[in-house]
Amino acid sequence: MTNPGTQPQSNPQVVAELVGVYNADGGIAGEARYVVGHLLGRLECALCDITHGPVRRKKSFDAFRARLGVPFAVAHRNERSPAIEAATGDALPCVAARTDAGWVVVLGRADLSAFGGEVDQLEQGLRHALAAQNLTFPAP
């Protein structure tokens, strides 16, 4: 029986895939602009700090992606598909999820910054954000 004044929870939407969008452009020129801007303290991307160390992508990020059970791609801002660009807009960096209902941003700039560059914090934060938005991963 439902308590008066409350609505029953609907079934959660199943996440088919995730995309992390960097607050930087891809390509040689875009990467160089970001590295120089980051070193000068003019540019920052909390998602970059989570996924990459000083030289290359973190092994812990690859291990995290393997544990998810759904694809987790990353894209630079100039590499987004039109659907992802429409969902994410200028609110970068972010992580978006695709469900049957379309794309939805599940983690924004402030969320990613709060993770302090730590992959394990991203994993915990992502799972919490999905639950808070009534989203779930497919059953194994």
Side-chain angles (χ1 to χ4, degrees):
M1 182 171 166
T2 303
N3 291 334
T6 63
Q7 296 180 1
Q9 280 280 37
S10 62
N11 289 333
Q13 288 284 314
V14 176
V15 173
E17 68 180 304
L18 297 162
V19 173
V21 183
Y22 296 120
N23 188 25
D25 288 330
I28 294 172
E31 297 275 346
R33 271 193 305 276
Y34 178 77
V35 168
V36 170
H38 187 70
L39 291 172
L40 295 174
R42 295 182 186 156
L43 295 176
E44 61 111 356
C45 174
L47 183 59
C48 295
D49 295 341
I50 294 169
T51 63
H52 286 76
V55 178
R56 64 180 61 94
R57 190 168 60 219
K58 294 177 181 176
K59 290 180 182 180
S60 57
F61 180 70
D62 291 336
F64 154 68
R65 291 188 340 169
R67 285 192 299 273
L68 285 176
V70 298
F72 187 138
V74 290
H76 294 91
R77 109 180 112 221
N78 64 329
E79 299 167 338
R80 294 177 287 177
S81 70
I84 295 171
E85 186 172 0
T88 60
D90 292 331
L92 303 176
C94 67
V95 175
R98 183 176 61 81
T99 70
D100 287 342
W103 286 97
V104 59
V105 173
V106 292
L107 295 170
R109 178 183 300 137
D111 301 312
L112 294 170
S113 292
F115 301 150
E118 298 296 326
V119 175
D120 62 332
Q121 294 295 310
L122 169 65
E123 184 168 7
Q124 291 174 18
L126 176 62
R127 292 182 188 283
H128 178 75
L130 291 174
Q133 294 183 43
N134 202 28
L135 301 172
T136 188
F137 290 121

mmCIF file of all heavy atoms in Angstrom, residues 24-45:
data_model
loop_
_atom_site.group_PDB
_atom_site.id
_atom_site.type_symbol
_atom_site.label_atom_id
_atom_site.label_comp_id
_atom_site.label_asym_id
_atom_site.label_seq_id
_atom_site.Cartn_x
_atom_site.Cartn_y
_atom_site.Cartn_z
ATOM 1 N N ALA A 24 37.915 19.916 -23.259
ATOM 2 C CA ALA A 24 39.085 20.190 -24.092
ATOM 3 C C ALA A 24 38.798 19.651 -25.487
ATOM 4 O O ALA A 24 37.984 18.740 -25.647
ATOM 5 C CB ALA A 24 40.327 19.516 -23.515
ATOM 6 N N ASP A 25 39.465 20.223 -26.466
ATOM 7 C CA ASP A 25 39.331 19.753 -27.838
ATOM 8 C C ASP A 25 40.339 18.647 -28.112
ATOM 9 O O ASP A 25 41.440 18.637 -27.552
ATOM 10 C CB ASP A 25 39.545 20.892 -28.836
ATOM 11 C CG ASP A 25 38.393 21.873 -28.858
ATOM 12 O OD1 ASP A 25 37.242 21.456 -28.592
ATOM 13 O OD2 ASP A 25 38.627 23.057 -29.144
ATOM 14 N N GLY A 26 39.958 17.731 -28.998
ATOM 15 C CA GLY A 26 40.845 16.664 -29.411
ATOM 16 C C GLY A 26 41.723 17.109 -30.567
ATOM 17 O O GLY A 26 41.617 18.228 -31.066
ATOM 18 N N GLY A 27 42.600 16.236 -30.991
ATOM 19 C CA GLY A 27 43.529 16.557 -32.063
ATOM 20 C C GLY A 27 44.822 17.124 -31.493
ATOM 21 O O GLY A 27 44.884 17.506 -30.313
ATOM 22 N N ILE A 28 45.819 17.188 -32.304
ATOM 23 C CA ILE A 28 47.137 17.639 -31.846
ATOM 24 C C ILE A 28 47.080 19.070 -31.319
ATOM 25 O O ILE A 28 47.584 19.362 -30.237
ATOM 26 C CB ILE A 28 48.177 17.501 -32.984
ATOM 27 C CG1 ILE A 28 48.385 16.013 -33.306
ATOM 28 C CG2 ILE A 28 49.500 18.153 -32.581
ATOM 29 C CD1 ILE A 28 49.230 15.745 -34.519
ATOM 30 N N ALA A 29 46.445 19.963 -32.065
ATOM 31 C CA ALA A 29 46.379 21.365 -31.634
ATOM 32 C C ALA A 29 45.561 21.513 -30.352
ATOM 33 O O ALA A 29 45.948 22.246 -29.435
ATOM 34 C CB ALA A 29 45.791 22.236 -32.745
ATOM 35 N N GLY A 30 44.431 20.816 -30.274
ATOM 36 C CA GLY A 30 43.592 20.893 -29.084
ATOM 37 C C GLY A 30 44.290 20.341 -27.855
ATOM 38 O O GLY A 30 44.222 20.934 -26.772
ATOM 39 N N GLU A 31 44.967 19.218 -28.017
ATOM 40 C CA GLU A 31 45.705 18.622 -26.903
ATOM 41 C C GLU A 31 46.826 19.552 -26.446
ATOM 42 O O GLU A 31 47.038 19.751 -25.247
ATOM 43 C CB GLU A 31 46.291 17.262 -27.317
ATOM 44 C CG GLU A 31 45.254 16.226 -27.671
ATOM 45 C CD GLU A 31 44.719 15.478 -26.467
ATOM 46 O OE1 GLU A 31 45.322 15.558 -25.382
ATOM 47 O OE2 GLU A 31 43.682 14.816 -26.618
ATOM 48 N N ALA A 32 47.536 20.126 -27.397
ATOM 49 C CA ALA A 32 48.635 21.039 -27.050
ATOM 50 C C ALA A 32 48.106 22.275 -26.317
ATOM 51 O O ALA A 32 48.704 22.707 -25.323
ATOM 52 C CB ALA A 32 49.397 21.448 -28.309
ATOM 53 N N ARG A 33 46.994 22.843 -26.795
ATOM 54 C CA ARG A 33 46.399 24.008 -26.119
ATOM 55 C C ARG A 33 46.028 23.665 -24.682
ATOM 56 O O ARG A 33 46.249 24.451 -23.769
ATOM 57 C CB ARG A 33 45.151 24.485 -26.859
ATOM 58 C CG ARG A 33 45.410 25.503 -27.929
ATOM 59 C CD ARG A 33 44.123 26.169 -28.424
ATOM 60 N NE ARG A 33 43.109 25.232 -28.880
ATOM 61 C CZ ARG A 33 43.059 24.692 -30.095
ATOM 62 N NH1 ARG A 33 43.972 25.004 -31.000
ATOM 63 N NH2 ARG A 33 42.103 23.849 -30.404
ATOM 64 N N TYR A 34 45.455 22.470 -24.493
ATOM 65 C CA TYR A 34 45.054 22.081 -23.151
ATOM 66 C C TYR A 34 46.270 21.905 -22.250
ATOM 67 O O TYR A 34 46.280 22.391 -21.111
ATOM 68 C CB TYR A 34 44.208 20.796 -23.151
ATOM 69 C CG TYR A 34 43.868 20.404 -21.735
ATOM 70 C CD1 TYR A 34 42.871 21.079 -21.037
ATOM 71 C CD2 TYR A 34 44.592 19.423 -21.063
ATOM 72 C CE1 TYR A 34 42.587 20.768 -19.711
ATOM 73 C CE2 TYR A 34 44.311 19.109 -19.744
ATOM 74 C CZ TYR A 34 43.308 19.784 -19.076
ATOM 75 O OH TYR A 34 43.050 19.489 -17.771
ATOM 76 N N VAL A 35 47.286 21.198 -22.713
ATOM 77 C CA VAL A 35 48.472 20.946 -21.883
ATOM 78 C C VAL A 35 49.111 22.263 -21.464
ATOM 79 O O VAL A 35 49.408 22.483 -20.284
ATOM 80 C CB VAL A 35 49.482 20.036 -22.616
ATOM 81 C CG1 VAL A 35 50.819 19.999 -21.900
ATOM 82 C CG2 VAL A 35 48.923 18.627 -22.751
ATOM 83 N N VAL A 36 49.303 23.177 -22.414
ATOM 84 C CA VAL A 36 49.911 24.466 -22.093
ATOM 85 C C VAL A 36 49.007 25.261 -21.148
ATOM 86 O O VAL A 36 49.464 25.797 -20.141
ATOM 87 C CB VAL A 36 50.218 25.269 -23.381
ATOM 88 C CG1 VAL A 36 50.631 26.698 -23.058
ATOM 89 C CG2 VAL A 36 51.298 24.559 -24.188
ATOM 90 N N GLY A 37 47.722 25.323 -21.451
ATOM 91 C CA GLY A 37 46.781 26.042 -20.599
ATOM 92 C C GLY A 37 46.702 25.452 -19.205
ATOM 93 O O GLY A 37 46.601 26.178 -18.212
ATOM 94 N N HIS A 38 46.773 24.139 -19.117
ATOM 95 C CA HIS A 38 46.721 23.467 -17.815
ATOM 96 C C HIS A 38 47.984 23.787 -17.008
ATOM 97 O O HIS A 38 47.903 24.087 -15.807
ATOM 98 C CB HIS A 38 46.562 21.965 -18.012
ATOM 99 C CG HIS A 38 46.334 21.198 -16.762
ATOM 100 N ND1 HIS A 38 45.161 21.283 -16.040
ATOM 101 C CD2 HIS A 38 47.130 20.338 -16.076
ATOM 102 C CE1 HIS A 38 45.241 20.503 -14.979
ATOM 103 N NE2 HIS A 38 46.430 19.918 -14.978
ATOM 104 N N LEU A 39 49.129 23.719 -17.662
ATOM 105 C CA LEU A 39 50.390 24.025 -16.966
ATOM 106 C C LEU A 39 50.432 25.470 -16.485
ATOM 107 O O LEU A 39 51.016 25.767 -15.444
ATOM 108 C CB LEU A 39 51.584 23.730 -17.878
ATOM 109 C CG LEU A 39 51.831 22.252 -18.175
ATOM 110 C CD1 LEU A 39 52.913 22.084 -19.238
ATOM 111 C CD2 LEU A 39 52.212 21.500 -16.900
ATOM 112 N N LEU A 40 49.808 26.372 -17.234
ATOM 113 C CA LEU A 40 49.772 27.785 -16.856
ATOM 114 C C LEU A 40 48.645 28.098 -15.871
ATOM 115 O O LEU A 40 48.499 29.232 -15.426
ATOM 116 C CB LEU A 40 49.632 28.664 -18.101
ATOM 117 C CG LEU A 40 50.805 28.626 -19.078
ATOM 118 C CD1 LEU A 40 50.480 29.426 -20.342
ATOM 119 C CD2 LEU A 40 52.076 29.161 -18.417
ATOM 120 N N GLY A 41 47.825 27.094 -15.572
ATOM 121 C CA GLY A 41 46.724 27.302 -14.635
ATOM 122 C C GLY A 41 45.530 28.013 -15.240
ATOM 123 O O GLY A 41 44.671 28.506 -14.522
ATOM 124 N N ARG A 42 45.421 28.027 -16.551
ATOM 125 C CA ARG A 42 44.315 28.716 -17.232
ATOM 126 C C ARG A 42 43.204 27.774 -17.670
ATOM 127 O O ARG A 42 42.086 28.215 -17.918
ATOM 128 C CB ARG A 42 44.843 29.471 -18.455
ATOM 129 C CG ARG A 42 45.781 30.583 -18.094
ATOM 130 C CD ARG A 42 46.239 31.318 -19.324
ATOM 131 N NE ARG A 42 47.246 32.293 -18.953
ATOM 132 C CZ ARG A 42 48.146 32.763 -19.796
ATOM 133 N NH1 ARG A 42 48.168 32.345 -21.050
ATOM 134 N NH2 ARG A 42 49.023 33.647 -19.388
ATOM 135 N N LEU A 43 43.524 26.506 -17.823
ATOM 136 C CA LEU A 43 42.534 25.516 -18.250
ATOM 137 C C LEU A 43 42.526 24.356 -17.274
ATOM 138 O O LEU A 43 43.574 23.966 -16.761
ATOM 139 C CB LEU A 43 42.856 24.985 -19.650
ATOM 140 C CG LEU A 43 42.786 25.973 -20.808
ATOM 141 C CD1 LEU A 43 43.242 25.300 -22.096
ATOM 142 C CD2 LEU A 43 41.388 26.518 -20.962
ATOM 143 N N GLU A 44 41.333 23.825 -17.028
ATOM 144 C CA GLU A 44 41.228 22.641 -16.184
ATOM 145 C C GLU A 44 40.097 21.770 -16.684
ATOM 146 O O GLU A 44 39.132 22.251 -17.264
ATOM 147 C CB GLU A 44 41.032 23.016 -14.719
ATOM 148 C CG GLU A 44 39.786 23.798 -14.441
ATOM 149 C CD GLU A 44 38.759 23.026 -13.643
ATOM 150 O OE1 GLU A 44 38.944 21.845 -13.340
ATOM 151 O OE2 GLU A 44 37.728 23.616 -13.356
ATOM 152 N N CYS A 45 40.290 20.482 -16.477
ATOM 153 C CA CYS A 45 39.268 19.502 -16.830
ATOM 154 C C CYS A 45 39.342 18.394 -15.791
ATOM 155 O O CYS A 45 40.285 17.597 -15.789
ATOM 156 C CB CYS A 45 39.498 18.951 -18.233
ATOM 157 S SG CYS A 45 38.373 17.604 -18.649
#
